[in-house]
């Protein structure tokens, strides 16, 4: 048992969250969003449109995750290019919009960011 997000077939409700960034994140490198997802069947390839806003910016950076067209859990990623992020970023807001999945339900069990770090000096 784990907590899961569930979208019914044809439901494209957005999930949005905001988080502080660690002080040693290296914004000169790409940030990669990972998600574990599955489809309820094999008709639809499920995945996300990923929008990110850095600090209080009002311009979304839009990327697309990989997809999964099976009923087996799989990890998909979306790469947010370093060129699209400010070097001074301290926070990020991310929204995930499910890709069209008109026949099969979609499930997500985990979402996380991977990033490079720098050495902090005091």
């Amino acid at each position: 048992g784990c907590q899961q997000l569930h979208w019914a077939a044809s439901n494209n409700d957005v999930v949005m969250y905001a988080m502080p960034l660690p002080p040693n994140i290296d914004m000169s490198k790409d940030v990669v969003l990972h998600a574990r997802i599955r489809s309820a069947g094999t008709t639809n390839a499920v995945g996300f449109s990923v929008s990110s806003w850095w600090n209080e910016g009002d311009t979304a950076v839009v990327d697309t995750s990989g997809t999964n067209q099976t009923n087996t859990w799989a990890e998909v990623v979306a790469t947010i290019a370093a060129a699209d992020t400010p070097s001074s970023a301290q926070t990020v807001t991310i929204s995930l919009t499910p890709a069209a999945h008109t026949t099969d339900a979609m499930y997500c069990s985990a979402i996380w960011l991977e990033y490079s770090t720098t050495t902090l000096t005091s």
Side-chain angles (χ1 to χ4, degrees):
C2 72
Q3 184 176 10
Q4 297 177 29
L5 297 171
H6 171 227
W7 289 268
S10 295
N11 180 302
N12 297 94
D13 287 346
V14 176
V15 174
M16 180 179 260
Y17 64 97
M19 61 182 276
L21 298 170
N24 64 336
I25 190 169
D26 183 350
M27 296 306 295
S28 69
K29 306 281 196 242
D30 294 346
V31 174
V32 181
L33 180 132
H34 294 254
R36 290 191 44 82
I37 62 174
R38 72 179 178 91
S39 179
T42 58
T43 303
N44 301 135
V46 296
F48 295 108
S49 172
V50 178
S51 296
S52 57
W53 294 265
W54 301 86
N55 291 333
E56 293 75 33
D58 60 356
T59 301
V61 174
V62 180
D63 297 286
T64 304
S65 77
T67 59
N68 179 13
Q69 196 166 349
T70 72
N71 194 18
T72 302
W73 290 104
E75 181 180 334
V76 297
V77 300
T79 300
I80 304 166
D84 293 333
T85 63
S87 61
S88 61
Q90 293 181 305
T91 64
V92 63
T93 300
I94 295 177
S95 71
L96 303 173
T97 305
H101 55 110
T102 56
T103 303
D104 299 321
M106 176 180 172
Y107 301 90
C108 179
S109 66
I111 303 164
W112 67 97
L113 293 178
E114 289 186 0
Y115 49 85
S116 298
T117 59
T118 62
T119 302
L120 292 176
T121 57
S122 45

